[in-house]
Amino acid sequence: MNIIQVNQSPIDVNSLITWLYESPTDGAVVTFMGKVRSFENQVISLTLEHYPEMTEKVLGNIINQARGRWAINRVAIVHRVGKIYANESIVFVGVSAAHRSDAFATTEFIMDILKNEAPFWKKEQTVSGQNWVKAKESDLNALKKWY
């Protein structure tokens, strides 16, 4: 079972965690929550753009890849788009599995692949203006452990 949501709404963490916990055969639930950070209070907001049909398809493909590697049950990926202010949540990934090792590995895998392959374009608003955010070397290097 999967939940994939890409929208402008704040992330309803409580309902997602409740859904992840509903599987009685799973002994592990691992979640990751990412937020917009402001280095030295310079970032005011991020504006995320995407191509909806493509984005949801890519997120579904990432989940399918994860299911081919680990024994997992429920997976939730919720990603916000639009204008998101510093310190607000931007992404949620949650995984339920019988065992914690599968849930932890899947959550890390999903985030590493999502950061590199999901078609999101980010424009950063800082105190000195706007700029498009480029891919980070550390995110690209994170892919090496999976491929």
Side-chain angles (χ1 to χ4, degrees), residues 13 15 17 22 26 35 37-38 41-42 59 61 65 89 100 103 112-113 141-142:
V13 177
S15 69
I17 290 174
E22 286 176 352
D26 290 338
K35 65 178 192 147
R37 59 187 161 178
S38 182
N41 294 319
Q42 297 296 305
L59 296 178
N61 288 339
Q65 287 179 57
S89 299
R100 71 177 183 269
D112 286 346
I113 305 305
N141 286 334

Side-chain angles (χ1 to χ4, degrees), residues 6-135:
V6 180
N7 58 49
Q8 295 184 10
S9 302
I11 299 170
D12 185 354
V13 177
N14 290 333
S15 69
L16 292 164
I17 290 174
T18 298
W19 178 78
L20 288 164
Y21 269 85
E22 286 176 352
S23 176
T25 60
D26 290 338
V29 171
V30 172
T31 63
F32 171 81
M33 192 82 158
K35 65 178 192 147
V36 176
R37 59 187 161 178
S38 182
F39 299 103
E40 300 176 2
N41 294 319
Q42 297 296 305
V43 175
I44 297 166
S45 65
L46 280 180
T47 300
L48 275 78
E49 297 177 6
H50 75 117
Y51 181 63
E53 293 81 12
M54 179 187 277
T55 305
E56 291 183 17
K57 182 178 179 180
V58 168
L59 296 178
N61 288 339
I62 293 170
I63 292 172
N64 290 338
Q65 287 179 57
R67 288 191 182 284
R69 292 171 179 243
W70 296 282
I72 55 176
N73 186 15
R74 294 181 177 217
V75 179
I77 301 176
V78 178
H79 208 298
R80 293 181 63 198
V81 292
K83 191 169 194 171
I84 306 164
Y85 290 93
N87 215 35
E88 289 185 345
S89 299
I90 191 170
V91 64
F92 174 94
V93 173
V95 177
S96 74
H99 304 287
R100 71 177 183 269
S101 59
D102 289 336
F104 274 114
T106 301
T107 303
E108 185 178 17
F109 172 82
I110 288 172
M111 277 308 305
D112 286 346
I113 305 305
L114 184 153
K115 289 279 288 183
N116 286 283
E117 295 182 6
F120 292 106
W121 299 276
K122 300 175 185 177
K123 186 183 285 185
E124 190 174 62
Q125 176 68 51
T126 69
V127 294
S128 57
Q130 292 185 354
N131 60 289
W132 289 101
V133 177
K134 297 178 185 175

